[in-house]
C-alpha cells in the first residue's frame, strides 16, 4: 500500500513539470499524433498520455511539455485546437514555488 501511494506522489510531482494539460482527446489519437500536432507550435519535449490498465484505452487526457515558454504561448495564441473532428480543451499548468505551497498548507 505504501508503495502505491509513493508511486502516485511521484506521478503528481512529474505532472507539475508539464506545460499544458489537454482534455477531450479522441480515443483514436495516439501520443505520437499528439506530439506531431503540437510540434507545429514549437519543440515538444514530452507527451504523456495515460492509459487505463483495465480497459487498455487511454484516459482521453494528456500532458504536454515544450522546450520554451514561447512555444507554450504559441499554442494559446490559436483560438481552438481540433484533432480528428474533436475540439481539445487546453489548460496551462500553474507553477508555484515551494514557499507558496508551504504558505497555503499552513
Amino acid at each position: 500500500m505504501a508503495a502505491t501511494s509513493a508511486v502516485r506522489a511521484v506521478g503528481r510531482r512529474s505532472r507539475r513539470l508539464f506545460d499544458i494539460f489537454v482534455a477531450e482527446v479522441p480515443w483514436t489519437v495516439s501520443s505520437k499524433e499528439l506530439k506531431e500536432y503540437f510540434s507545429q507550435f514549437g519543440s515538444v519535449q514530452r507527451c504523456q498520455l495515460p492509459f487505463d490498465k483495465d480497459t487498455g484505452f487511454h484516459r482521453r487526457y494528456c500532458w504536454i511539455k515544450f522546450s520554451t515558454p514561447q512555444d507554450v504561448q504559441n499554442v494559446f495564441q490559436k483560438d481552438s485546437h481540433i484533432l480528428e473532428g474533436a475540439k481539445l480543451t487546453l489548460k496551462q499548468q500553474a507553477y508555484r514555488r515551494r514557499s507558496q505551497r508551504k504558505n497555503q498548507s499552513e
Side-chain angles (χ1 to χ4, degrees), residues 35-101:
K35 196 170 183 177
E36 286 173 4
Y37 172 78
F38 284 102
S39 67
Q40 68 181 305
F41 303 104
S43 178
V44 177
Q45 286 185 337
R46 189 167 174 210
C47 174
Q48 183 173 338
L49 181 66
F51 279 77
D52 185 314
K53 64 182 176 183
D54 295 329
T55 66
F57 293 106
H58 68 72
R59 297 183 178 218
R60 298 198 64 209
Y61 59 84
C62 72
W63 290 272
I64 306 286
K65 173 68 178 165
F66 285 95
S67 296
T68 67
Q70 182 58 47
D71 297 341
V72 176
Q73 294 309 312
N74 292 342
V75 172
F76 287 101
Q77 287 177 357
K78 185 173 178 183
D79 289 333
S80 62
H81 298 272
I82 298 173
L83 208 50
E84 293 192 8
K87 185 176 179 182
L88 304 176
T89 302
L90 279 64
K91 291 185 182 177
Q92 190 165 0
Q93 297 288 94
Y95 294 99
R96 294 185 285 178
R97 294 184 183 144
R98 287 188 172 177
S99 61
Q100 289 173 324
R101 278 183 264 163

